[in-house]
Amino acid sequence: IMLGSLVLGLVGIIWAGYYLAKRAMVPIEAAWKKQQQFVADASHELRSPITGINSNAELMLRHPERTIEEESHRINNIIKETMRMAKLIAHLLTLARSDANEAELQLAPLDISELIGTVAEQFKPLAEMNQIELSVQITQKVELIADKERLHQLVVILLDNAFKYTPAGGQILISCFTADKQAVIYVQDTGQGIAPENLPRIFDRFFREDKARSRESGTGLGLAIAKWIVDKHGGKMGVESEVGKGTKFKVSFPGGNSR
Ligand code: ADP
């Protein structure tokens, strides 16, 4: 009987050890799988602009008699694909650095109301071109200790998306204020909205509601980067959306001051 319980005890200990080791390995395995998926997705996404550049160039070579004007749409396609690839690579680099924990924030006092004003000004020509009414609502000066470049990137990503997914005649509103010692930024649009089942996935890398439509200018990485920037600053990011009505992104950072 003693031998029996000894064996049983040993088996129990071995089983517990195995169970605990396996449980510890699950997160590592999951992280590894995620990394593999990221590399696979990135390679796949890079392939499409390369194919585009290559086929346009080959078609031009087949007709050496054509003038530059006659081939201008192909040249434009190449430029467009090159720009897409540059954007994709820049986004991939940002995420790779963030994964490697190599992206240090350059923290300094920052006036976000001023920053939003500057970025919004840069979007004015696009607003005019797309016939969208862009408004900025800033009633107070909002200050924060933050990385200026990163916050600039965040606002650009959110406004860029608002423009991409809002048809002509729509409105986009960006506002910032302080509430409960938080610096808050809202980016609202009257665009196509996001289906409720997709809302939890929009911050995932490479997730796009409509792969074909957003292929043109989207990388599917913008919101993943935006979320990382907000997290890195200890902030929170949320979204509310209704299909056909519009979308509202809310970002809040602790420690906002207003004057
Ligand atoms: P993308 O480069 O495709 O815009 P993002 O990571 O920035 O990638 O966004 C992921 C997806 O979330 C988009 O493809 C789109 O489906 C959805 N999305 C983001 N912002 C908006 C918005 N303002 N209105 C509607 N859909 C949006």
Side-chain angles (χ1 to χ4, degrees), residues 161 164-165 189 193-194 202 207-209 218-220 222-223 247:
N161 277 348
K164 261 191 303 199
Y165 304 108
D189 64 59
I194 301 163
I202 56 168
F207 177 80
R208 282 179 295 212
E209 266 205 310
T219 64
L223 285 180
T247 306

Side-chain angles (χ1 to χ4, degrees), residues 53-68 70-76 78:
I53 292 166
N54 193 57
S55 57
N56 277 291
E58 277 191 352
L59 281 169
M60 284 200 298
L61 267 184
R62 261 190 233 167
H63 299 280
E65 77 287 357
R66 287 189 188 158
T67 63
I68 289 188
E70 282 171 326
E71 295 288 27
S72 66
H73 66 288
R74 296 231 157 79
I75 298 171
N76 273 326
I78 291 178

Side-chain angles (χ1 to χ4, degrees), residues 84 87 91 157-166 187-189 191-195 198 201-211 214-215 217-226 239 241 246-249:
R84 214 182 98 68
K87 191 169 165 185
H91 278 175
I157 289 169
L158 292 178
L159 276 181
D160 216 18
N161 277 348
F163 276 96
K164 261 191 303 199
Y165 304 108
T166 303
V187 179
Q188 270 170 275
D189 64 59
Q192 64 184 57
I194 301 163
N198 289 329
R201 300 170 63 196
I202 56 168
F203 298 102
D204 290 353
R205 293 175 184 189
F206 296 112
F207 177 80
R208 282 179 295 212
E209 266 205 310
D210 181 349
K211 296 238 178 212
S214 57
R215 159 130 298 147
S217 50
T219 64
L221 294 174
L223 285 180
I225 292 175
V239 57
S241 189
T247 306
K248 178 179 186 176
F249 282 93

